[in-house]
Amino acid sequence: MSAITREDVAHLARLAHIRMDENELDKMSGELAFIMDAITSVSEVAGQDVPRTSHPIPLRNVFREDVPSGMLTQEQALAMAPDAEDGQFKVPAILDGE
Amino acid sequence: MTELTELSANELIKLTALQMAERLRAGEITSVELTQAHLDRIAAVDGPADGQGTGVHAFLHVNTEEALAVAAEVDAIRAAGGTEAQDLHPLAGVPIAVKDLIVTVGQPTTAASKMLEGWMSPYDATVVEKIRAARLPILGKTNLDEFAMGSSTEHSAFGDTRNPWDLGRIPGGSGGGSAAAVAAFMAPLALGTDTGGSIRQPGAVTGTVGAKPTYGAVSRYGVIAMASSLDQVGPVTRTVSDAAALQELIGGHDPKDSTSLPEPMDGLLEAARNGELAGLRIGIIAELEGEGFQEGVLARFQESVQVLKDAGAEVSEVSCPHLGYALGAYYLIMPSEVSSNLAKFDGVRFGNRVVPDGGGTIEQVMGATRAAGFGDEVKRRIILGTYALSAGYYDAYYGSAQKVRTLIQRDFAAAFEQVDLLISPTSPVTAFPLGEKLDDPVAMYNNDIATIPANLAGIPGISVPAGLSEGLPVGIQFLAPARGDATMYRAAAALESRLEEAWGTPFWAQAPELAASSAAAPAGVENAAATATAGGEN
């Protein structure tokens, strides 16, 4: 498996929406390479024939009655919003220059 | 049975939660008296909630007014008598602390992150609803590693919590606040969450009892998710019976949590009170008793094994050959789930928003918000998880880790065909000095080597104090098959009572007075078990 590079970290930070400066990218890529070295041994034992486990205790068909319940009022939902207007969440422009 | 005499506030806070409940029911004490005694203790030893003082700093928020109001309600109901008094929950009036990852109406919930500083939840977690329904006064919210990511509570954005056994050392993590609050008699009960050991490892290093129930036994609704397939809420206490009673209170099916087990888990307190070991088959996990474990930790562990044998348990050694891969699998699965679960903290609907100088698009605002709101460890795990899930690496990393998870489940299944319970030291080391491992993430991750496998497999685990090594607490861990929580409590309580007999005192009663915080711990506890058991190694 290839090592994690500084360019990889810069790309991943963009994907994860975390702004990072040059110093942080240097530090983070060094740390992550070290961490990856410590954990990539998992592929040694993960043979083709081993099924994957995504959940420790499988439950099937978890349903409830299709009735609305436990909803927040508009006021409650907006009470802790960073910014709100006219009963809606207010956000900055989605695209540049608009 | 405790003798019902008048106790000073200092003696009151050192009772077990069940003893407190008994005195409340008998009318010997009031809940207001009991709650005030704990609030006074917090004021005396915890220091300011902003972490700028030199106290334990277990609490991020103290809930004085509401706690006393709930206590007064319980006292009024009891004084009035009648059916309402009879219907009170057995633990009604006994105060409790809540890890600040669990949402509460009326008190801030921060997850120890700047992202949520000052955030007030519009709803209660299910476990909090149950606590309110049972009328346990909530003392406040306890410190943790940011979003529960860490093993020392040093990753909190609001300052370190200090270990009551030595204020220069870590209280474990992520639930260091809950463990330290209980160890320092600021609360008899606390709630924790355990994703890779965050209840059990702090329990071990603070000399308290911490249990991670079977995955799904306790609702996760209203618990800020770290890694949803691993997270579980559980009790933090000073005795095994207290933990069993608290799990009975918070457990049970919750329609709001689709991973909640449909069947109830009863008889936990009864199992803890039974304490019978004869004929119980207990396996020592061969992979968790050698390399990387401190000598003093292994010595206390081996003494406990001897105590279990002397009490009639059939002890043998079993092998779980894939446990060596558990840490690797955990550090791929957990960050993957973290990267997804923490995507919602983007400064749009709740939490704090940071706008770059001169404004910016929403994407730039999200980048600035998450850069300022998250600490280094949270960022590391988000980036790691994003990497493990990315196209081209998914099969090699996340996919392989999921396969290892299957192999570990198979190892446990095979072991539980031979034995009823498994045991190991809880943490490979005792509490280390603050700052020692902060710059070495991999060394920090190794603290959870013995606790992580239970989360991967969904099985229950509990840590109980096994004695001291160089004045610091050592924990022993019991693991049971899924839904085997009662057997786990039974064996843990049996060991606890036999060790207590050997020491001549409850373990926690030996905690140093906080006024002389870094003074050496009493000599009695360290070797008492060894002298009480014929073949105990030392």
Side-chain angles (χ1 to χ4, degrees):
Chain A
M1 269 174 272
S2 59
I4 191 164
T5 65
R6 192 176 182 285
E7 286 66 39
D8 288 335
V9 174
H11 176 62
L12 293 164
R14 272 195 302 276
L15 289 177
H17 292 307
I18 300 174
R19 199 179 66 190
M20 278 190 198
D21 61 26
E22 300 300 311
N23 288 340
E24 263 186 299
L25 286 175
D26 287 340
K27 187 161 177 277
M28 186 73 73
S29 49
E31 285 166 349
L32 289 180
F34 189 57
I35 294 168
M36 289 308 291
D37 278 349
I39 62 184
T40 46
S41 64
V42 290
S43 57
E44 289 170 15
V45 288
Q48 288 288 330
D49 55 329
V50 182
R52 296 175 177 194
T53 295
S54 61
H55 203 267
I57 298 180
L59 297 173
R60 277 171 209 275
N61 298 341
V62 179
F63 294 132
R64 64 167 173 81
E65 290 301 310
D66 188 14
V67 287
S69 69
M71 288 182 299
L72 301 178
T73 63
Q74 193 180 50
E75 201 175 50
Q76 284 175 317
L78 293 172
M80 284 286 129
D83 201 1
E85 198 175 295
D86 298 336
Q88 298 167 68
F89 295 106
K90 189 177 177 188
V91 296
I94 307 281
L95 299 171
D96 269 322
E98 286 189 37
Chain B
M1 279 303 110
T2 52
E3 209 181 318
L4 295 176
T5 52
E6 203 153 309
L7 297 178
S8 68
N10 197 40
E11 292 166 315
L12 203 54
I13 56 173
K14 292 185 176 171
L15 296 174
T16 71
L18 288 169
Q19 287 169 341
M20 291 175 192
E22 193 185 311
R23 282 172 185 262
L24 286 168
R25 282 198 301 274
E28 293 287 320
I29 53 172
T30 66
S31 179
V32 168
E33 217 178 314
L34 185 64
T35 303
Q36 189 61 56
H38 285 97
L39 292 168
D40 290 347
R41 175 72 173 176
I42 293 168
V45 303
D46 206 42
D50 65 7
Q52 298 303 305
T54 54
V56 176
H57 190 232
F59 284 88
L60 294 178
H61 176 82
V62 181
N63 190 34
T64 307
E65 211 169 293
E66 188 191 74
L68 287 171
V70 170
E73 272 169 36
V74 174
D75 291 341
I77 292 168
R78 222 164 234 142
T83 51
E84 212 188 339
Q86 282 165 15
D87 290 347
L88 277 175
H89 188 276
L91 289 173
V94 178
I96 188 168
V98 175
K99 187 180 186 181
D100 203 18
L101 193 69
I102 301 174
V103 305
T104 46
V105 171
Q107 294 183 68
T109 301
T110 68
S113 178
K114 283 185 200 158
M115 185 66 83
L116 286 178
E117 190 168 11
W119 181 68
M120 301 291 286
S121 172
Y123 70 102
D124 274 331
T126 296
V127 289
V128 172
E129 275 181 358
K130 283 175 183 264
I131 283 169
R132 289 196 204 278
R135 297 182 191 275
L136 277 69
I138 299 174
L139 293 166
K141 307 292 290 285
T142 57
N143 201 9
L144 65 152
D145 286 292
E146 184 177 5
F147 286 104
M149 300 182 201
S151 308
S152 68
T153 314
E154 291 167 294
H155 295 307
S156 167
F158 306 121
D160 298 341
T161 295
R162 302 173 189 90
N163 192 319
W165 288 80
D166 179 343
L167 295 178
R169 291 175 186 268
I170 59 111
S174 67
S178 281
V182 170
F185 309 103
M186 290 186 271
L189 301 168
L191 291 185
T193 64
D194 191 311
T195 304
S198 288
I199 290 175
R200 290 164 288 157
Q201 181 259 4
V205 301
T206 61
T208 52
V209 173
K212 182 199 94 71
T214 296
Y215 182 85
V218 180
S219 168
R220 292 185 297 108
Y221 181 76
V223 180
I224 297 174
M226 174 183 165
S228 306
S229 79
L230 302 162
D231 297 343
Q232 188 54 204
V233 181
V236 177
T237 60
R238 287 190 292 270
T239 73
V240 175
S241 289
D242 285 356
L246 184 53
Q247 187 179 330
E248 282 190 0
L249 166 57
I250 60 175
H253 181 251
D254 179 11
K256 291 174 179 165
D257 175 359
S258 63
T259 62
S260 167
L261 294 177
E263 68 273 20
M265 212 171 278
D266 296 327
L268 303 179
L269 181 54
E270 197 188 319
R273 282 179 167 152
N274 166 311
E276 185 52 60
L277 279 172
L280 206 63
R281 298 167 304 164
I282 297 179
I284 298 170
I285 305 173
E287 287 77 9
L288 294 179
E289 56 160 353
E291 208 187 323
F293 288 80
Q294 264 174 11
E295 214 175 296
V297 169
L298 290 176
R300 296 295 90 77
F301 175 67
Q302 281 146 7
E303 288 158 16
S304 291
V305 168
Q306 190 58 44
V307 169
L308 291 167
K309 282 184 188 167
D310 292 346
E314 295 169 25
V315 181
S316 57
E317 188 160 289
V318 299
S319 174
C320 295
H322 296 97
L323 287 197
Y325 298 96
L327 195 75
Y330 178 79
Y331 274 95
L332 288 165
I333 291 169
M334 175 273 295
S336 296
E337 296 190 22
V338 161
S339 70
S340 167
N341 274 327
L342 269 63
K344 63 178 165 281
F345 299 105
D346 56 9
V348 172
R349 289 158 299 156
F350 43 74
N352 298 314
R353 177 184 292 180
V354 176
V355 180
D357 288 340
T361 64
I362 187 161
E363 212 174 338
Q364 288 162 333
V365 169
M366 283 180 190
T369 295
R370 289 161 67 81
F374 291 141
D376 288 346
E377 180 63 17
V378 173
K379 288 177 189 171
R380 269 195 289 273
R381 295 193 191 192
I382 291 174
I383 299 292
L384 192 58
T386 308
Y387 184 57
L389 291 176
S390 54
Y393 297 110
Y394 183 91
D395 282 334
Y397 293 142
Y398 187 63
S400 295
Q402 286 186 306
K403 289 179 176 181
V404 169
R405 199 167 183 180
T406 305
L407 296 171
I408 286 165
Q409 287 198 330
R410 287 179 182 169
D411 279 359
F412 279 130
F416 286 129
E417 287 194 357
Q418 302 166 52
V419 297
D420 302 303
L421 289 166
L422 293 167
I423 48 170
S424 76
T426 311
S427 165
V429 297
T430 55
F432 46 89
L434 288 161
E436 190 182 87
K437 299 184 182 179
L438 202 50
D439 295 323
D440 187 349
V442 174
M444 190 71 94
Y445 298 168
N446 274 315
N447 286 302
D448 296 329
I449 197 152
T451 46
I452 279 170
N455 300 81
L456 290 171
I459 62 175
I462 189 170
S463 180
V464 283
L468 295 171
S469 169
E470 295 174 20
L472 296 168
V474 172
I476 178 171
Q477 170 181 241
F478 290 81
L479 300 173
R483 302 177 175 83
D485 304 43
T487 316
M488 169 186 92
Y489 280 116
R490 186 178 123 198
L495 175 67
E496 175 187 58
S497 69
R498 280 161 183 83
L499 286 175
E500 249 183 59
E501 235 167 77
W503 296 327
T505 169
F507 178 80
W508 41 269
Q510 301 299 307
E513 285 299 325
L514 275 173
S517 53
S518 49
V525 176
E526 181 126 12
N527 296 313
T531 50
T533 58
E537 308 233 356
N538 204 352

